[in-house]
Amino acid sequence: MDSPSADAKAGEDHVSWCPSGEAHRPESVVLGVRSGDEGQVVYLAEPVPAAQVLPGIPEGIAPHRVLRFASHCVSGCANRVGDACGLIERIQTLPSPDATGAVPRCHLRPHCKWWTQAGVDACHRCPAITTLNSPDDQLAVLVADPSTTTEQLQSWIAAAE
């Protein structure tokens, strides 16, 4: 997925995409819509440029509350650890979801940073990932914090059991 349009710029084949991206980056696309009580992502069959969707979100509603965005994985990201994504590493520290079903259909996968780094495990976890966490959900806040180590997460999870 080089861009949301068929006339994508040549040379972007090497670009990795973040499935937990920023809504307002120029290349951002809507990856899916949050649905149900748990806020699971329901993936769109085709990407939609975020710039086309953002004006339709009512004032006062954070775009990440209702939509999931993908944007380029950038070297300046707070979650970047060398060439790796520290966020997916922290997410993989959480107890594994039921991974017996098929992975969700996703247009991002061929260029997804999480897929490249963690494979099918990332795809099983991806629908449950939120980019707007409640401050009351201490575990989600820890996972989202780039300064949290996997060891800290493992310790927190063990203490909570």
Side-chain angles (χ1 to χ4, degrees), residues 99-113:
T100 57
V103 296
R105 183 172 176 250
C106 176
H107 57 77
L108 187 66
R109 190 170 293 125
H111 300 284
C112 177
K113 180 66 174 177

Side-chain angles (χ1 to χ4, degrees), residues 26-45:
E27 77 282 357
S28 292
V29 296
V30 176
L31 178 62
V33 177
R34 299 212 165 279
S35 178
D37 294 336
E38 299 293 316
Q40 294 277 9
V41 173
V42 176
Y43 296 94
L44 301 179

Side-chain angles (χ1 to χ4, degrees), residues 67-125:
L67 301 171
R68 180 85 165 274
F69 298 91
S71 59
H72 289 168
C73 179
V74 295
S75 60
C77 177
N79 288 302
R80 195 70 174 259
V81 180
D83 287 335
C85 177
L87 179 57
I88 191 58
E89 290 176 0
R90 292 189 305 278
I91 289 167
Q92 287 185 288
T93 303
L94 300 174
S96 184
D98 177 20
T100 57
V103 296
R105 183 172 176 250
C106 176
H107 57 77
L108 187 66
R109 190 170 293 125
H111 300 284
C112 177
K113 180 66 174 177
W114 291 4
W115 167 258
T116 302
Q117 187 172 327
V120 71
D121 185 52
C123 294
H124 281 292
R125 294 168 184 270

